Amino acid sequence: MIGMIIAAQKELENDAEGSEPEDTLMRLYKSIEDAGALKELNSSTKDLHISIAKFGKSLEKAFDMDADVCRALRPAPALSDDPALLTRVISEHFYREGRFELGDALAAEAGLMDAEALRAPYAALHTVLEQIRAHNLTPALQWALEHRSQLSPDDGPSAFEFRLHSLNFVHVLQLHGRTAAMAYAKRHFAAHASRHLPDIQRLMGCLLFWDREKKLQQQQQQATDGGAGTTGQATGQTPMPAPHPYVDLLSPSCWDAVAREFSNHACGLMGQASESPLTTVVAAGSIALPALLKMAVVMERNMQDLRTVDELPVEIELGPEFVFRSIFACPVSREMSKPENPPMLLPCGHVLCEQSVVKLVKARSRPFKCPYCPQEARLDGLKPLTFPDVD
């Protein structure tokens, strides 16, 4: 295979003006494919990439063109079997963010056949969200009732349903006073008493203090006005009442919290993450890009191509916010555990992957020393560990 590349290189150097570079590349590609060496050509071996790099420089010198020979000989990888996957992901992101006109325009231009099915659940989601932002919880309560079996493990009233009723209770209290709020509590809190009695008691305490904040502001304003009218004379000031312990229940931020919780529940029932997948990918890419660029430069100096490797030569830390499942990496091999390479517990308490242990063991009947402490262990004395949610 190296000889084929060298022959093509000489052909270009000796007869640069008499042959077309595309024809030379096609003949080289056909020869490699017929020889069954295309897979080997695509592998990341040092000698192969040095030869390809020399060939590329000869091609560039002979024809004054910027040629990426590795890319020319490598089949273009597809994102997936679905050619419209990227368009669908972007359109779904727009629908998720409530930008339906933009999503519809992109879906129509790309010819997505399932655009309406993609749009429908997010349209229903944003309809409820708009009502929550308008301080109308009726659609959200209806949604929670319809999905009670999915939100609650025992088909009873869910915790989210109770939080909606709690916020609605406070809203009725602020708009219509204590009598209306008490009537609302009698109608809706009985079904939640077995699970949320302390929270209900706290809401009942809120009845006594809900207007204290308003009175406090009025007294502060009166004190300010009275102080402005005096001319240096000492005046008696009315002591200000301390903030009551129910301020958090009356905070306007409760509406934003309920909107976020509803969005998370709705996306979860649709099989979607709480955050937009496209937003997560872009954020992770922006963190990893500087390290990837630096890595590509280093590999290029060594006549290697980052795009040909199956996995990154070094691990790029993205932070705990981008860890979505439990993992265990062997401290010796730095590789993640797999079903065929499970983590093994040593008698000293340290954990290594099975393949790392096998490399340390010289004979099955002989003990070996833990690489992290002086204690010895035997292969038949190790115990496999099972971590929840570890693939």
Side-chain angles (χ1 to χ4, degrees), residues 214-224 238-241:
K214 185 184 298 184
K215 293 179 179 178
L216 177 61
Q217 294 176 356
Q218 292 176 350
Q219 292 180 7
Q220 289 176 338
Q221 184 63 38
Q222 292 174 359
T224 301
T238 304
M240 299 299 173

Side-chain angles (χ1 to χ4, degrees), residues 335-366:
E335 295 180 354
M336 288 176 52
S337 62
K338 300 177 182 179
E340 60 273 14
N341 186 26
M344 306 295 291
L345 177 65
L346 278 62
C348 58
H350 291 109
V351 181
L352 306 176
C353 279
E354 186 177 37
Q355 293 179 4
S356 299
V357 173
V358 171
K359 292 178 181 179
L360 293 172
V361 177
K362 296 181 179 180
R364 188 175 185 86
S365 59
R366 296 179 58 185

Side-chain angles (χ1 to χ4, degrees), residues 173-217:
L173 176 63
Q174 292 175 322
L175 287 182
H176 306 292
R178 294 185 178 90
T179 302
M182 282 296 297
Y184 185 91
K186 290 178 180 178
R187 287 197 306 270
H188 299 289
F189 283 169
H192 303 272
S194 60
R195 299 182 181 181
H196 302 283
L197 183 59
D199 297 313
I200 294 174
Q201 291 172 338
R202 192 160 182 261
L203 288 168
M204 294 301 100
C206 184
L207 288 170
L208 302 175
F209 293 92
W210 72 274
D211 57 349
R212 187 172 181 178
E213 197 74 22
K214 185 184 298 184
K215 293 179 179 178
L216 177 61
Q217 294 176 356

